[in-house]
Amino acid sequence: MTEANTLFLRLEGPLQAWGDTSKFVIRRTMEAPTKSGVLGLLCCAMGLSRQAARERLKELNGLVMGVRIDRCGTRWWDYQTVGAGTGLTTAGGGLKTGAQGTLITRREYLADASFLVALQGEAKLIHEITRAIGSPKWPVFLGRKSCPPSVPVLAMPRQDASWTNPSSYDGLKAALTAIPWHPRYKTDATPQNGTVEALVEWRPASEGDVAPDDAEVWYDVPVCFDPPVHEPRFVLRDTVSPAVGEALQGPVPAMPRPRADYTNAEYRKRRKERIKADAGLCVFCKSPGPRMTVQHVTYQRAGGNETLEDLRSLCGLCHDAVSMLEYGLGMGLDRINPEDPRWRDLIIQKRAEILQFRSLETRRRRLAAEEVE
């Protein structure tokens, strides 16, 4: 345990935002967690203010970071106003420097993303931040304070897993490969060609090493949080081939749905009471109709527990028109109330269509009979 050099963080939530060079009124997000964002998360867990963190940043920057993009998420924009004329306050209740009025910004987020972050460094520091993440002094967030995590940030192995956290690995790529990739549902597609994209920090192995040509420069190494000062680092895009584990969530059972039971004695009794309460007339066209029936305006209590308010008397034609509208709209438990004025024109139109179809069908049958004769 004392030799552990790798810590794993699971960064997953409804929204995440990892700013790089975003400033002023348009705040974009990077495609994956930045080093400054992750170290800021660690400082929150350790209870370090922006000023106090300056003394520890040099040590924390010694950690090498790799990110596995398990679920890239969807980019999403939000329009925000901050301050509301009262000034922008800090978590401690003070006023931010120069923040006196309302700040209007457009902010970009990653929705429904999931990342596995591996941090490698000295065993003593790894164990210190492990304890801090396990019992944070301040709430941690995913880039912005409005982005809380939806799962524990300290990644924990599932039952019977072969890995531990923290642990020891020879290199970031080996660490990111060792942790299984879990689909959310069994029906989710497995990684293409069995590989998952990863962003691995590159550092020279010896003096004079030159970064590869395909290395990217990310300006996200924090020197100071207040004011924000960052230095560059090299990041390599790579792929890893982790094992595919079990789905994180089982199948969602369908909600129980009450269904009408037209043979139920209680329903038949309530049906007669409804027709009697409506004086034996259709509540829509006021016709007695040869096929007087009742319409469910809701199926919340269907199956024998219906009340009088759940039913409406309708003639056969109006019942067919209302039913066709309901199926066409894909309605659920709550259906059309034919007494509601907003449905009047649609029901009249559907009645006309049914009558026209029946008239054409009658003529077709008569012509077919005459041809046979």
Side-chain angles (χ1 to χ4, degrees), residues 37-330:
V38 172
L39 295 189
L41 183 150
L42 299 181
C43 289
C44 280
M46 298 166 71
L48 298 177
S49 66
R50 293 175 182 268
Q51 292 74 25
R54 181 184 298 211
E55 301 176 2
R56 297 296 305 274
L57 279 179
K58 185 175 181 180
E59 182 182 11
L60 292 173
N61 281 327
L63 297 170
V64 187
M65 189 176 86
V67 180
R68 195 178 77 189
I69 305 176
D70 287 354
R71 193 165 61 246
C72 62
T74 303
R75 291 184 179 270
W76 182 78
W77 281 101
D78 185 25
Y79 172 82
Q80 290 190 359
T81 59
V82 183
T86 60
L88 310 181
T89 58
T90 64
L95 193 67
K96 290 187 178 180
T97 303
Q100 299 294 334
T102 302
L103 179 65
I104 302 175
T105 63
R106 286 190 67 201
R107 303 192 179 192
E108 188 181 33
Y109 296 87
L110 295 177
D112 196 31
S114 179
F115 304 100
L116 177 69
V117 175
L119 297 171
Q120 287 190 335
E122 296 182 359
K124 182 179 178 181
L125 179 59
I126 289 294
H127 288 301
E128 180 185 357
I129 60 179
T130 300
R131 289 192 298 268
I133 290 293
S135 180
K137 293 185 178 181
W138 295 346
V140 297
F141 46 88
L142 307 180
R144 295 191 184 123
K145 291 182 180 178
S146 59
C147 302
S150 59
V151 298
V153 172
L154 184 63
M156 299 301 294
R158 306 187 78 184
Q159 189 175 7
D160 300 329
S162 59
W163 61 280
T164 59
N165 190 21
S167 188
S168 180
Y169 294 95
D170 185 15
L172 288 172
K173 189 170 181 179
L176 295 175
T177 305
I179 309 303
W181 177 87
H182 293 276
R184 175 179 288 177
Y185 304 107
K186 289 184 177 180
T187 55
D188 287 354
T190 57
Q192 187 176 8
N193 300 324
T195 62
V196 181
E197 186 177 357
L199 299 171
V200 180
E201 183 175 343
W202 179 88
R203 288 188 179 180
S206 60
E207 187 176 354
D209 280 356
V210 178
D213 293 338
D214 57 348
E216 300 179 8
V217 180
W218 287 37
Y219 285 87
D220 64 347
V221 178
V223 177
C224 177
F225 286 128
D226 188 16
V229 179
H230 298 86
E231 292 182 347
R233 68 183 176 114
F234 289 109
V235 175
L236 294 176
R237 292 185 181 272
D238 207 335
T239 57
V240 294
S241 301
V244 178
E246 297 180 358
L248 297 174
Q249 299 181 22
V252 180
M255 293 291 293
R257 175 171 178 168
R259 295 186 178 277
D261 182 2
Y262 302 110
T263 63
N264 182 273
E266 288 297 322
Y267 164 74
R268 296 174 69 87
K269 177 182 178 181
R270 205 72 65 231
R271 178 180 182 275
K272 291 181 180 180
E273 292 176 356
R274 181 73 262 181
I275 294 176
K276 182 179 179 180
D278 292 328
L281 300 177
C282 172
V283 298
F284 186 80
C285 68
K286 307 305 178 184
S287 168
R291 295 171 47 216
M292 187 59 62
T293 183
V294 294
Q295 168 78 14
H296 279 83
V297 297
T298 178
Y299 283 86
Q300 298 285 351
R301 290 167 290 276
N305 298 315
E306 291 92 343
T307 66
L308 285 181
E309 291 303 315
D310 294 343
L311 306 173
R312 295 293 186 276
S313 300
L314 288 178
C315 67
L317 178 59
C318 291
H319 184 276
D320 292 344
V322 171
S323 296
M324 291 179 68
L325 287 173
E326 290 174 342
Y327 284 111
L329 295 172

